[in-house]
Amino acid sequence: MDVNAAVAAAAAIAGVLTGVIAMLAFRWSEREQKRPTRTSLHTDPVLPPGVDTVLSVLRSSAVVLDEADAVVKASSAAYALGLVRGGKLAVEPMLQMARDTRRDGEIRQVELDLPRRGTGRGEALAVSARVAPLGSRLVLLLVEDLTEARRIEAVRRDFVANVSHELKTPVGALSLLSEAVMGASDDPEAVERFAGRMQIEATRLTNLVQELIDLSRVQNDDPLEDAEPVRVDELVAEAIDRCRHQAGTKQITMAANVGGGPMGASDEDGGGRQAETADLQIWGNRGQLAAALGNLVENAVNYSPARTRVGIAARRVPAPGGDLIEVAVTDQGIGISEKDRERVFERFYRVDPARSRHTGGTGLGLAIVKHVAASHGGEVTVWSSEGQGSTFTLRLPEAGVARDRATDHMSGLADDVDDGPPDGTTTVTTPTTSPYESLSAPEVLP
C-alpha cells in the first residue's frame, strides 16, 4: 500500500513538472518569436515617424545607414552623385564618419573633393558632408554639392584681382607722371609732354571705371523692364557716329548695310528700301543694345590697320522660335587665333595686351556684349582668321517675337548668365570664309 502510494505520488509530481516545463518552453518560444533578430533589423528597418517626408524635401543628398552600414534610405541626388552603389555607401571617408558618430553620438562635418562620376578628366566634385545620429540605431548623412559655389567664388576672386591690377596701372602711372611734372617745372616742353601722358592715363582710368559700371548694370538689371522697339538702323548709325573720329584718324572706311541694302537708300518709286530698313527692330533696352553694338564697332576700328575697311551689316534671318535680327561687324584687322577665340568674351582677357594698352582697351567690352546678348535672349558669335580679320555677329529676337515671350522666357535666360568665363553658352564658329566678307552696295561713311 505504501509502495503504490509512493509510486502514484511520484507520477503526479513528474506530471506536474512536465507540465510546468512544457508551459515554460511555450512561453519562451513565444517571446523569442516576438523579439527582433539581427536579420530582421537589416532587412526591414523602420525610420522614425516623419523622417521619410523630411528627407524627401531636402535639397541636400540624404543617406540613412543602419547599424550594419547598410543603406536604409537614400535620395535620388545621392545616387546621382555616386555616393550609394550596390546598397552601400561608396565613399570611405563618409562611411568612417558614420561609424564614429554611431559609436559616440557626436555630429561630424567635413569637406571633401570627390572624383566626378562618369568623366575621365579627373574633375573634382566639391562636397560638404554632415553626419548625425538618427534615433538609437540609425545614422543620417547629408551631403551638399559645393562645386558651383566654389567656382563662383573663384570667379569673384579673379575679378577682384583683375580689377585691382587694372586700376593700379593707370593710378601708378599718374603718380609717377605727377612727380615727373614737379621735377621738370623748369622745362616747359617736358611738362607739356608729361601732362599729355597724364591725360591719356586719366582717360584710360575713366574708361575702365565706366565699363565696370556698365558691366555691373547689365549683370544686375533686367533689360526688359524698360524695353521698347529699337530700330536697327538707328543703332548702327549711333555706333558709327561713336567711332567716326577714331576711324577718320586712321583713314578707315566704314560701310553700313541694313536690311539687304545700303543704310538710308530708297527705291525709285520712293522709300521702298527705307521702309524695309525701318522694319528691322529689336525689343530691348536701347542703351544696352547701343553699348553692345558700339563696343563691337569700336573694337573693329581699334584693331584694324590704317586705310582698311569696317563693315556693319544687318538682316532678318528665320529661326524655329521666330525670326532673328542678325547684326554683323566685320573688320580687316589682325584676326584672332583659335586658342584665343575661346576666351575673347572673358572679362579682362586681351588677345594682345600691349596693343590693348596702346588703344586704351580695358578687356571688358566683349564681356559686356556677351551679357547684353544673353539678357535679351540672343547670342554673340565670332568668326576670325589671323591676318584676314574678324566678324562678330549679334543675333537677337525680332521685336514682335521678343515682346511675346519677354515675361516668361527672356528673364529666365538673363538669370542663367554665368559671372565668369564662358561655359559653352557663347558659340564660336570657324567657317573658312567670313559670312560677311562683302557687303552689297554699301553706303561708305568716311
Side-chain angles (χ1 to χ4, degrees):
M1 183 66 180
D2 293 337
V3 174
N4 292 334
V7 171
I13 293 172
V16 170
L17 291 176
T18 302
V20 170
I21 292 173
M23 182 181 65
L24 292 176
F26 179 75
R27 293 288 180 85
W28 181 82
S29 176
E30 282 187 336
R31 186 177 299 176
E32 284 298 315
Q33 289 179 1
K34 292 181 179 180
R35 180 183 299 174
T37 63
R38 294 184 64 89
T39 303
S40 67
L41 283 173
H42 296 164
T43 59
D44 190 22
V46 178
L47 292 175
V51 172
D52 195 4
T53 303
V54 172
L55 295 182
S56 64
V57 299
L58 286 177
R59 297 182 62 182
S60 305
S61 303
V63 180
V64 179
L65 303 176
D66 64 10
E67 59 185 5
D69 293 333
V71 175
V72 175
K73 175 75 175 180
S75 64
S76 57
Y79 287 98
L81 290 178
L83 304 179
V84 178
R85 297 175 188 172
K88 294 289 185 179
L89 186 61
V91 183
E92 184 61 32
M94 296 182 187
L95 186 59
Q96 187 59 47
M97 285 174 58
R99 292 168 179 167
D100 294 340
T101 297
R102 186 185 301 112
R103 184 181 64 253
D104 55 25
E106 292 185 4
I107 298 176
R108 289 175 168 81
Q109 184 169 350
V110 67
E111 292 187 3
L112 301 170
D113 290 333
L114 306 178
R116 192 181 293 270
R117 189 177 182 183
T119 62
R121 295 174 294 179
E123 298 178 351
L125 189 71
V127 298
S128 173
R130 185 178 179 87
V131 180
L134 185 65
S136 59
R137 297 180 290 105
L138 302 180
V139 173
L140 172 63
L141 170 67
L142 295 177
V143 179
E144 191 77 24
D145 188 355
L146 304 179
T147 307
E148 184 65 14
R150 284 192 179 180
R151 187 190 70 82
I152 293 175
E153 183 61 29
V155 169
R156 287 176 177 170
R157 285 197 305 268
D158 291 343
F159 181 72
V160 171
N162 287 330
V163 168
S164 301
H165 174 74
E166 294 295 333
L167 290 174
K168 182 180 179 181
T169 302
V171 169
L174 287 172
S175 177
L176 292 175
L177 288 169
S178 64
E179 292 179 4
V181 168
M182 293 177 63
S185 57
D186 297 333
D187 187 350
E189 292 184 1
V191 170
E192 185 177 356
R193 185 173 66 255
F194 291 142
R197 288 297 307 169
M198 290 179 67
Q199 188 175 16
I200 293 174
E201 294 298 335
T203 302
R204 179 183 175 189
L205 181 60
T206 301
N207 292 338
L208 175 59
V209 172
Q210 184 59 51
E211 291 206 347
L212 286 172
I213 294 173
D214 292 341
L215 181 61
S216 177
R217 284 176 179 171
V218 300
Q219 286 180 318
N220 298 326
D221 295 346
D222 183 0
L224 301 180
E225 282 185 359
D226 301 321
E228 59 179 331
V230 182
R231 287 178 50 171
V232 175
D233 56 351
E234 293 178 354
L235 292 177
V236 173
E238 186 174 339
I240 291 174
D241 188 63
R242 169 178 168 178
C243 304
R244 191 181 300 276
H245 175 71
Q246 296 166 279
T249 301
K250 300 174 66 174
Q251 298 181 0
I252 292 177
T253 301
M254 302 183 71
N257 185 329
V258 180
M263 198 174 72
S266 61
D267 292 340
E268 293 181 0
D269 57 357
R273 178 66 65 187
Q274 183 69 25
E276 181 181 350
T277 62
D279 191 44
L280 296 183
Q281 296 184 0
I282 300 170
W283 180 260
N285 184 290
R286 181 183 181 86
Q288 291 191 15
L289 293 172
L293 184 57
N295 284 344
L296 291 181
V297 176
E298 187 175 11
N299 278 356
V301 172
N302 287 337
Y303 287 91
S304 293
R307 295 178 293 278
T308 55
R309 182 169 173 269
V310 171
I312 305 99
R315 62 178 181 174
R316 179 187 291 108
V317 294
D323 289 349
L324 299 175
I325 301 298
E326 190 174 84
V327 184
V329 179
T330 302
D331 63 61
Q332 297 173 327
I334 59 176
I336 306 172
S337 66
E338 184 175 355
K339 65 180 182 65
D340 290 323
R341 249 173 273 154
E342 302 289 339
R343 302 188 59 189
V344 291
F345 295 99
E346 295 181 20
R347 289 170 293 188
F348 296 110
Y349 184 80
R350 298 183 178 95
V351 176
D352 186 351
R355 187 181 182 90
S356 295
R357 285 193 294 270
H358 176 72
T359 59
T362 62
L364 292 174
L366 291 179
I368 293 174
V369 174
K370 172 195 169 186
H371 283 285
V372 170
S375 63
H376 283 76
E379 64 173 354
V380 57
T381 62
V382 58
W383 171 92
S384 188
S385 178
E386 290 186 89
Q388 296 184 25
S390 306
T391 297
F392 286 86
T393 305
L394 270 174
R395 293 186 183 91
L396 300 168
E398 195 174 10
V401 177
R403 183 171 57 247
D404 293 340
R405 54 184 179 177
T407 303
D408 51 355
H409 185 58
M410 292 299 110
S411 59
L413 285 173
D415 293 337
D416 290 337
V417 179
D418 68 338
D419 288 331
D423 54 2
T425 58
T426 301
T427 306
V428 179
T429 57
T430 54
T432 55
T433 60
S434 169
Y436 293 89
E437 188 172 330
S438 62
L439 302 176
S440 59
E443 178 192 13
V444 177
L445 304 170

